[in-house]
Amino acid sequence: MALKALDIYKLLPKKNCKECGDPTCLTFAMKLAGGKTDVEACPYLDANAKSVLGATTRPPIRLVKIGVGERSFAIGEEFVFYRHDKTFYHPPGILFKIQDTMPADQINAVTARVRNESFTRVGTDLRFNGVAIENVSGSVDTFAEAVATVEKSADLPLVLIAENPDAFCAALVHCGTYRPLLHAAKPGTFKMMCGIAKQHECPLIISARGLDALSELVKNCCAEGVSDLVLDLNSGSLGEFITESTTIRELAITRTAPELGYPIYMDATRLAGLQDAAVALGIVKFGSVIVTAPLEAASAKAALTLRQNIYTDPQKPIQMNPGLYRIGTPGQDAPVLMTVNFSLTFFTLQGYLESARIPCFLLIVDTEGLSVLTSVAAGKLSETLVRDSIKKFEVEKEVSHKKLIIPGYAAPLSGRIEEATGWKVLVGPRDAAEIGDYLHEEWAKQKS
Ligand code: SF4
């Protein structure tokens, strides 16, 4: 159960010294209750107060940062079980795995791909996050060499995977200040791994089978002073992963088992033949770090698209800025199409218009990110909005005609738009995929 602000306030030293960055202890207590600050911000809390407050005031899933610099990413700090309850905040990092036995040119090729490959969808550049390097050779030197090869060519977040603690020490010479994620502390090695993680201030994966063993290991690592933890469930199958990751998420969100409130790690390469499915499941079922072999182009796009969809705030449609956009270099006799500022509508239509190779103007009106159908039903798309947008974006200065093509789903408004604007309204297709044929046939008729 989360503590209320007043309960938290009672446990504070009440010096009102502002060292936590808040003007009073009460403000600090209120922020702690809302999960907006950390107990560590107050230097005067004793160990007992910290242990009482720590698990109940921090976000139910701890925020963990991996890497440094522009490509670093944060995971965790999630508050809901279902995305539609609010939103998911931190998309999982997806990292391509390489083995330290691979030749340097192959390592460089994977690294370059992660560094440079980008896929633009609905106006956002989607990328993979980093590289996971596995000590398959068993050699400390070979592992360190592979890590150095990656480090030389890219400034990317890393996951270091090894059994031998000495391998980490050798590898961290090359990347120790860049917060790589270390895999993994196990029941027999946690003390040594915590020492390494503490020395380099790295986040640490803990690996155990079963929730009790994981809880125990979390407590042990926290007692060693390492709390930036990520959980490796070691699931034997996709079914087990779904069951276990779902259980952990539920126990963490409800704070029934706050010691399990850490992001989850998934290594999709362990499920031979099911890698694409494992990546997809990792994304939808609460995975925060997903390690995979480099994905084929189609699987890569599918994974990035799925991640973008799951981690888009369902309460805030992705919006375009309203305005008059050009497709190609339209002249004064080019068609003018009107649609809403829902990003998916814009980018879908833009793609089809570019394929049609008919230069045109695209008038985007502000429906607060709602789609055509929804904005017509909700009254957001109206004749006055279209009239005002034509005026505001000075469409009449751009073309020598007064013909406006509206989306098929806005057909019920066609008469009212004609009256309000004085423009002749042409009703376009309902499906954006048909816009090319429509323009080639209908617009050609209008011009003749
Ligand atoms: Fe109060 Fe601690 Fe903040 Fe000082 S640092 S104002 S004692 S909460």
Side-chain angles (χ1 to χ4, degrees), residues 12-26 28-29 41-45:
L12 297 181
K14 301 181 197 65
K15 289 175 184 272
N16 286 325
C17 64
K18 303 184 186 171
E19 284 184 44
C20 54
D22 289 306
T24 64
C25 296
L26 186 58
F28 181 72
C42 172
Y44 302 109
L45 279 173

Side-chain angles (χ1 to χ4, degrees), residues 316-320 340-343 365-371:
K316 284 191 207 148
I318 315 173
Q319 299 182 27
M320 290 295 301
V340 295
N341 72 328
F342 177 41
S343 282
V365 301
D366 186 2
T367 54
E368 296 174 18
L370 296 181
S371 68

Side-chain angles (χ1 to χ4, degrees), residues 201-213:
E201 297 181 9
C202 294
L204 179 63
I205 298 170
I206 60 166
S207 175
R209 193 73 195 100
L211 303 193
D212 291 344

Side-chain angles (χ1 to χ4, degrees), residues 199-314:
Q199 185 188 344
H200 295 277
E201 297 181 9
C202 294
L204 179 63
I205 298 170
I206 60 166
S207 175
R209 193 73 195 100
L211 303 193
D212 291 344
L214 277 170
S215 297
E216 186 64 24
L217 206 42
V218 168
K219 283 180 196 156
N220 288 336
C221 289
C222 288
E224 293 292 322
V226 179
S227 41
D228 281 346
L229 300 171
V230 177
L231 311 179
D232 180 359
L233 318 181
N234 283 291
S235 309
S237 66
L238 290 181
E240 277 180 17
F241 179 79
I242 295 173
T243 307
E244 291 162 355
S245 63
T246 305
T247 306
I248 287 179
R249 177 67 160 229
E250 197 168 11
L251 291 173
I253 292 293
T254 56
R255 298 185 195 265
T256 309
E259 68 276 15
L260 290 172
Y262 293 90
I264 291 173
Y265 172 84
M266 166 188 261
D267 186 342
T269 64
R270 289 180 193 151
L271 296 146
L274 293 171
Q275 184 172 267
D276 287 358
V279 171
L281 266 182
I283 293 168
V284 296
K285 284 293 167 193
F286 316 122
S288 284
V289 176
I290 300 168
V291 167
T292 167
L295 295 171
E296 299 286 325
S299 303
K301 279 191 176 179
L304 293 173
T305 302
L306 178 64
R307 182 178 67 175
Q308 185 190 33
N309 286 343
I310 297 292
Y311 282 81
T312 297
D313 187 343

Side-chain angles (χ1 to χ4, degrees), residues 61-324:
I61 306 205
R62 187 180 172 90
L63 183 78
V64 177
K65 291 181 184 158
I66 298 166
V68 295
E70 196 196 335
R71 296 290 291 266
S72 65
F73 63 96
I75 50 174
E77 203 168 55
E78 301 293 349
F79 296 86
V80 292
F81 186 73
Y82 295 110
R83 171 180 175 266
H84 61 256
D85 284 338
K86 191 168 172 63
T87 184
F88 294 163
Y89 289 97
H90 294 103
I94 305 177
L95 299 95
F96 285 174
K97 191 196 249 187
I98 57 173
Q99 289 74 36
D100 64 355
T101 46
M102 285 163 71
D105 56 350
Q106 221 176 323
I107 293 178
N108 283 330
V110 175
T111 307
R113 187 179 161 199
V114 176
R115 187 186 59 220
N116 302 330
E117 196 171 277
S118 155
F119 160 50
T120 304
R121 183 171 177 273
V122 285
T124 306
D125 292 334
L126 309 178
R127 292 171 151 186
F128 291 101
N129 300 81
V131 177
I133 307 151
E134 188 174 21
N135 182 211
V136 173
S137 68
S139 155
V140 168
D141 294 338
T142 307
F143 187 54
E145 212 174 296
V147 172
T149 304
V150 174
E151 267 309 311
K152 254 183 250 157
S153 63
D155 187 11
L156 291 170
L158 303 179
V159 176
L160 305 183
I161 305 169
E163 294 290 334
N164 180 356
D166 290 342
F168 291 103
C169 297
L172 286 165
V173 169
H174 303 287
C175 63
T177 51
Y178 305 135
R179 280 185 72 80
L181 177 61
L182 312 182
H183 185 289
K186 298 183 178 173
T189 59
F190 76 87
K191 282 201 176 182
M192 204 174 284
M193 287 305 298
C194 284
I196 296 169
K198 255 167 75 174
Q199 185 188 344
H200 295 277
E201 297 181 9
C202 294
L204 179 63
I205 298 170
I206 60 166
S207 175
R209 193 73 195 100
L211 303 193
D212 291 344
L214 277 170
S215 297
E216 186 64 24
L217 206 42
V218 168
K219 283 180 196 156
N220 288 336
C221 289
C222 288
E224 293 292 322
V226 179
S227 41
D228 281 346
L229 300 171
V230 177
L231 311 179
D232 180 359
L233 318 181
N234 283 291
S235 309
S237 66
L238 290 181
E240 277 180 17
F241 179 79
I242 295 173
T243 307
E244 291 162 355
S245 63
T246 305
T247 306
I248 287 179
R249 177 67 160 229
E250 197 168 11
L251 291 173
I253 292 293
T254 56
R255 298 185 195 265
T256 309
E259 68 276 15
L260 290 172
Y262 293 90
I264 291 173
Y265 172 84
M266 166 188 261
D267 186 342
T269 64
R270 289 180 193 151
L271 296 146
L274 293 171
Q275 184 172 267
D276 287 358
V279 171
L281 266 182
I283 293 168
V284 296
K285 284 293 167 193
F286 316 122
S288 284
V289 176
I290 300 168
V291 167
T292 167
L295 295 171
E296 299 286 325
S299 303
K301 279 191 176 179
L304 293 173
T305 302
L306 178 64
R307 182 178 67 175
Q308 185 190 33
N309 286 343
I310 297 292
Y311 282 81
T312 297
D313 187 343
Q315 295 166 75
K316 284 191 207 148
I318 315 173
Q319 299 182 27
M320 290 295 301
N321 286 330
L324 188 65

